[in-house]
Amino acid sequence: MSDSTATAGTVIDAPIEHVREALLSATLLPEWNPAFVKVEGTPRAVAGAEYRLETIRGLRGALTYTYIDGEAITISWRVTGLSETGEWQLTRLDASRQTRVTHAVERDGPLALLLGHTLGTLPSLRLERLAQRVSGS
């Protein structure tokens, strides 16, 4: 793993379909990812479509779902000085209502260097917020 990449995994108490739905609800990402203020575009993610993005501190850019299938979703976004790719791997656990989720984050750009100290905990924090979002769904 390079200095610009971090990975974490957890088991979420929700069916894989609910986890996928939260990840693919593009315009609702700001509800559980506090780095995003606004995502504009079609509500349901479309691979290859570009969404307008506003982040904290007023940075504006674009977000793209670069890969979507039943068990993997990749989201890339960029603002001036920072680009990030987040990969989400989903695994249905037995016949239960649980999903194993692994999240990897890779960052690049001058802001990535400034924010480097936060990268190690970022995947775990996002997984916690995603779990809160889908619990009870």
Side-chain angles (χ1 to χ4, degrees), residues 79-119:
V79 294
T80 302
L82 177 67
S83 64
E84 177 180 299
T85 298
E87 295 178 355
W88 301 85
Q89 296 291 322
L90 312 177
T91 305
R92 185 186 312 270
L93 296 181
D94 303 321
S96 73
R97 292 181 38 93
Q98 295 183 320
T99 305
R100 171 91 179 140
V101 183
T102 303
H103 179 42
V105 178
E106 183 174 4
R107 286 184 165 171
D108 192 30
L111 284 178
L113 295 173
L114 290 174
L115 299 170
H117 65 286
T118 65
L119 184 61

Side-chain angles (χ1 to χ4, degrees), residues 49-68:
E50 188 170 280
Y51 295 80
R52 289 181 304 283
L53 174 66
E54 182 179 339
T55 68
I56 57 173
R57 309 239 190 260
L59 297 172
R60 296 179 188 275
L63 179 145
T64 305
Y65 283 79
T66 57
Y67 184 79
I68 300 172

Side-chain angles (χ1 to χ4, degrees), residues 21-75:
E21 186 60 32
L23 291 168
L24 295 175
S25 296
T27 58
L28 299 180
L29 290 175
E31 292 183 5
W32 61 271
N33 185 337
F36 298 157
V37 173
K38 184 182 251 186
V39 177
E40 295 177 317
T42 58
R44 176 87 171 154
V46 175
E50 188 170 280
Y51 295 80
R52 289 181 304 283
L53 174 66
E54 182 179 339
T55 68
I56 57 173
R57 309 239 190 260
L59 297 172
R60 296 179 188 275
L63 179 145
T64 305
Y65 283 79
T66 57
Y67 184 79
I68 300 172
D69 79 6
E71 297 179 345
I73 298 167
T74 302
I75 303 170

